[in-house]
């Protein structure tokens, strides 16, 4: 408005205009008293906190074996694996905490334990470390605050009044069979004697981009302890850090028996969640955003039976099923169309399933839907047929693609020889099947993602590997390269597969796969 001068507000005036620093204003909503009488009363008359030590977790021995394996790969170097900090969702509220997968793998900690924790493997003389390895491991975390401290009732991120009880150093040490230390000791532990081995220092390798505070601490230590700080090449350190992340990812390519048990549990819970969705289909059909009913039904089951979702659910009905990562889930679920449900329960251990089924909403496939579905199923079965120890991982994809290329030619959608389609110069079929047929599965839904191609794509299948087999065909509603009858049909069938000494086990086989079995299963659940 003319004649009115807008006030100029700077960070300094914002903090001082009311005399209250910005960082303290979060307490305005809680209206916490600050009187000495209140503080004295809050710190008194509490029953003693339990000092009982828990039994050793079953995973502890497995985690120790994983630490020993990574210790063998990096003798003489300090290895630093942060869990990561809490992440802000909005203003002063956080997302539920989930530790970095490498940290979870080497400690055995799952669910929402210990934000800001850091696992440090300190080098020792070869063979004198944990289990005869080259390192001694210590878990640094923030221990339970005493009830005589203000943090007990005032800290909404770590205070017992706000988030519940947390373990003591001794309790977590007993649970994991792993030495623990107060997080306040971390800086000294990380920065002592940092330097190149050639000058008697200890080289650090860090899992980067997990905790910015730890990244900064390590980088500062590298610079401050250098003979010529201005000549420090942090990019070379980054490259060495990348080798650690690579090794940690490759360590998860083969699952130990405890991990396989966790995968079985996650898949079993996922199968039950799919049944819940089928039972909820009438509600989904009646709702203007039926995909949200599907999503919410599975999410409720995942939260009740596990830690929650392993990834954002794809509840894609109709043409939405042709969008590979459709997670908006705000569409209608209509009779006569298909529902592609791609979902997985994450266990409390953080191991996740990843399963997809494509369901006829009305309970019965139409002829063209059945034709497309059967082609995808045949491709999946071809992939299963070749999967066994000693086969290259990429051969699973090759087997599935051959079937799909043959069907696309048979249907007249491609007027090219199958051999040409499958050649590197061809690949026309990938218009309708643009993703890979398989990926490793475990702590991450796309597990082992930093592994080298020669151990992943070109790696040989080994007993204990767990991965998906998930071919699909996706004909978008506006795809003029296919006849109208195909448009708007998206089909994916995804199973979770364990490599055994004899071949493979389909961990998700309890979910029907053939069109006849899917229809019968849906009819049974509808009764």
């Amino acid at each position: 408005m003319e004649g009115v001068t807008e006030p100029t507000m700077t960070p300094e005036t914002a903090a001082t205009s009311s005399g209250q620093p910005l960082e303290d204003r979060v307490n305005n909503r809680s209206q916490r008293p600050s009187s000495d009488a209140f503080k004295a009363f809050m710190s008194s008359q509490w029953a003693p906190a339990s000092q009982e030590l828990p039994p050793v977790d079953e995973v502890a021995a497995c985690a120790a074996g994983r630490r020993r394996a990574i210790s063998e790969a990096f003798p003489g170097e300090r290895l630093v694996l942060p869990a990561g900090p809490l992440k802000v969702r909005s203003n002063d509220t956080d997302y539920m905490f989930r530790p970095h997968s490498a940290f979870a793998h080497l400690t055995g900690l799952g669910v929402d334990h210990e934000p800001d924790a850091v696992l440090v493997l300190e080098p020792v003389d070869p063979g004198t470390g944990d289990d005869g390895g080259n390192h001694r491991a210590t878990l640094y975390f923030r221990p339970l605050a005493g009830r005589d401290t203000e943090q007990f009732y005032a800290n909404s991120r770590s205070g017992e009044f706000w988030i519940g009880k947390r373990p003591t150093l001794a309790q977590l040490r007993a649970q994991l069979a792993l030495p623990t230390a107060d997080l306040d000791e971390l800086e000294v532990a990380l920065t002592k004697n940092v330097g190149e081995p050639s000058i008697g220092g200890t080289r650090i390798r860090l899992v980067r981009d997990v905790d910015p505070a730890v990244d900064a601490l390590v980088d500062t230590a590298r610079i401050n302890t250098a003979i010529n700080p201005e000549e420090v090449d942090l990019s070379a350190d980054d490259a060495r850090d990348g080798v650690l992340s690579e090794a940690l990812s490759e360590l998860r390519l083969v699952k130990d028996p405890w991990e396989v048990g966790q995968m079985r549990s996650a898949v079993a819970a996922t199968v039950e969640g799919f049944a819940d969705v089928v039972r909820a289909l009438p509600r989904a059909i009646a709702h203007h955003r039926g995909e949200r009913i599907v999503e919410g039904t599975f999410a409720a089951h995942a939260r009740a039976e596990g830690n929650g979702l392993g990834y954002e659910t794809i509840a894609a009905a109709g043409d939405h099923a042709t969008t590979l990562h459709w997670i908006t889930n705000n569409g209608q679920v209509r009779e006569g169309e298909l529902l592609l449900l791609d979902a997985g329960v994450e266990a409390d251990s953080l191991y996740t399933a990843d399963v997809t089924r494509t369901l006829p909403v009305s309970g019965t496939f139409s002829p063209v839907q059945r034709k497309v579905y059967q082609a995808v199923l045949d491709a999946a079965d071809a992939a299963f047929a070749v999967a066994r120890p000693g086969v290259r991982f990429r051969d699973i994809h090759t087997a599935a693609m051959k079937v799909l290329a043959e069907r696309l030619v048979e249907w007249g959608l491609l007027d090219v020889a199958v051999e040409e389609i499958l050649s590197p110069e061809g690949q026309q079929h990938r218009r309708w099947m643009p993703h890979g047929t398989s990926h490793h599965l475990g702590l991450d839904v796309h597990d082992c993602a930093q592994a080298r191609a020669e151990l992943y794509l070109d790696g040989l299948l080994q007993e204990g590997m767990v991965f998906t087999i998930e071919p699909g065909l996706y004909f978008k509603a506006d795809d003029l390269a296919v006849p109208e009858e195909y448009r708007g049909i998206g089909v994916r069938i995804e199973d979770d597969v364990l490599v055994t000494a004899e071949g493979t086990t389909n961990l998700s086989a309890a979910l029907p796969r053939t069109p006849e079995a899917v229809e019968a299963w849906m009819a049974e659940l509808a009764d």
Side-chain angles (χ1 to χ4, degrees):
M1 182 181 298
E2 187 177 354
V4 176
T5 301
E6 293 292 328
T8 300
M9 185 67 72
T10 66
E12 292 77 12
T13 58
T16 60
S17 59
S18 68
Q20 184 183 31
L22 285 174
E23 62 271 17
D24 290 347
R25 296 184 188 182
V26 65
N27 294 322
N28 291 340
R29 63 178 172 82
S30 62
Q31 303 181 58
R32 188 176 70 244
S34 58
S35 68
D36 290 341
F38 169 76
K39 294 178 180 179
F41 188 49
M42 283 298 291
S43 63
S44 66
Q45 301 182 62
W46 297 104
S50 173
Q51 301 299 315
E52 182 178 354
L53 299 182
V56 178
D57 278 356
E58 182 184 357
V59 70
C62 297
R66 300 164 198 164
R67 293 193 296 272
R68 171 65 190 273
I70 211 68
S71 173
E72 291 294 328
F74 299 98
E77 299 183 322
R78 183 175 299 141
L79 310 181
V80 181
L81 291 83
L86 289 164
K87 294 180 174 62
V88 174
R89 182 184 188 278
S90 174
N91 192 25
D92 60 345
T93 60
D94 298 314
Y95 286 103
M96 182 180 294
F97 177 71
R98 186 195 191 281
H100 189 272
S101 294
F103 174 91
H105 193 230
L106 264 61
T107 61
L109 280 172
V111 292
D112 59 350
H113 290 295
E114 309 317 322
D116 303 317
V118 180
L119 177 68
V120 177
L121 274 63
E122 183 66 21
V124 294
D125 291 337
T128 66
D130 300 336
D131 297 322
N134 304 316
H135 294 80
R136 291 201 179 105
T138 302
L139 175 61
Y140 293 84
F141 74 100
R142 185 175 294 105
L144 183 71
R147 293 177 174 180
D148 58 346
T149 67
E150 191 171 343
Q151 179 184 323
F152 167 62
Y153 61 84
N155 191 317
S156 61
R157 277 188 157 187
S158 60
E160 183 180 329
F161 238 74
W162 294 87
I163 65 169
K165 297 182 185 298
R166 301 173 63 246
T168 64
L169 292 170
Q171 287 167 338
L172 204 52
R173 182 185 306 121
Q175 176 186 338
L176 301 176
L178 176 62
T180 57
D182 194 306
L183 193 62
D184 289 343
E185 301 174 27
L186 177 67
E187 181 173 355
V188 172
L190 289 191
T191 59
K192 64 183 180 184
N193 197 36
V194 173
E196 287 302 307
S198 59
I199 59 172
T202 300
R203 178 180 290 162
I204 297 180
R205 289 190 193 248
L206 165 68
V207 179
R208 298 193 68 85
D209 300 323
V210 178
D211 189 326
V214 176
D215 286 3
L217 187 62
V218 170
D219 287 343
T220 301
R222 286 167 168 166
I223 293 170
N224 288 347
T225 58
I227 297 175
N228 297 306
E230 66 279 0
E231 296 180 4
V232 171
D233 183 5
L234 288 178
S235 63
D237 289 313
D238 288 349
R240 281 191 285 264
D241 292 342
V243 174
L244 173 60
S245 292
E246 176 184 272
L248 290 165
S249 199
E250 292 170 357
L251 184 63
R252 303 208 302 271
L253 284 167
V254 176
K255 272 59 180 177
D256 59 41
W258 183 87
E259 292 178 287
V260 171
Q262 294 303 303
M263 294 300 304
R264 289 183 182 277
S265 296
V267 172
T270 299
V271 169
E272 295 170 359
F274 273 67
D276 282 356
V277 166
V278 172
R279 296 186 188 99
L281 278 178
R283 283 197 302 125
I285 293 168
H287 198 278
H288 68 285
R289 293 202 296 181
E291 290 175 346
R292 291 286 171 92
I293 301 298
V294 172
E295 175 191 332
T297 298
F298 190 87
H301 174 82
R303 190 67 177 141
E305 301 301 327
N307 185 46
L309 299 172
Y311 53 96
E312 294 297 324
T313 297
I314 298 170
D319 187 50
H320 288 164
T322 68
T323 299
L324 300 183
H325 285 172
W326 176 258
I327 59 173
T328 307
N329 300 340
N330 62 355
Q332 290 185 265
V333 175
R334 298 181 178 91
E335 295 268 10
E337 294 186 337
L338 297 177
L339 170 69
L340 189 157
L341 177 61
D342 186 334
V345 173
E346 179 182 80
D348 287 342
S349 60
L350 304 182
Y351 287 81
T352 185
D354 180 10
V355 177
T356 306
R357 288 294 185 268
T358 305
L359 310 173
V361 175
S362 61
T364 305
F365 291 98
S366 72
V368 67
Q369 289 169 351
R370 182 181 291 265
K371 181 168 74 169
V372 174
Y373 186 97
Q374 188 65 54
V376 173
L377 179 62
D378 290 346
D381 287 345
F384 269 100
V386 303
R388 60 186 180 275
V391 171
R392 292 196 184 280
F393 188 82
R394 65 166 66 247
D395 292 343
I396 302 170
H397 178 74
T398 301
M401 292 305 96
K402 183 174 185 296
V403 171
L404 294 183
E406 291 171 345
R407 297 303 166 83
L408 292 167
V409 170
E410 177 186 323
W411 298 342
L413 302 186
L414 288 176
D415 187 18
V416 185
V418 170
E419 292 74 16
E420 181 180 339
I421 292 170
L422 295 175
S423 71
E425 295 75 28
Q427 299 293 303
Q428 295 93 330
H429 64 297
R430 298 301 296 276
R431 175 184 180 115
W432 300 298
M433 169 52 185
H435 59 78
T437 301
S438 300
H439 61 78
H440 282 271
L441 184 64
L443 278 167
D444 293 332
V445 66
H446 297 149
D447 208 26
C448 314
Q450 285 75 47
R452 288 167 290 175
E454 56 264 37
L455 295 181
Y456 198 128
L457 281 177
D458 292 313
L460 301 180
L461 299 188
Q462 300 178 53
E463 182 178 359
M465 285 184 169
V466 179
F467 51 82
T468 64
I469 290 179
E470 50 172 315
L473 284 172
Y474 312 91
F475 303 109
K476 292 187 175 294
D478 57 357
D479 186 350
L480 302 183
V482 298
E484 187 174 356
E485 64 177 344
Y486 293 97
R487 297 174 195 165
I489 292 178
V491 174
R492 181 163 65 251
I493 303 169
E494 179 180 19
D495 286 290
D496 298 345
V497 183
L498 168 68
V499 180
T500 65
E502 296 76 27
T504 59
T505 295
N506 183 353
L507 299 179
S508 46
L511 273 180
R513 297 176 74 248
T514 69
E516 297 79 13
V518 168
E519 291 174 343
W521 173 66
M522 293 181 68
E524 180 183 349
L525 291 172
D527 291 340

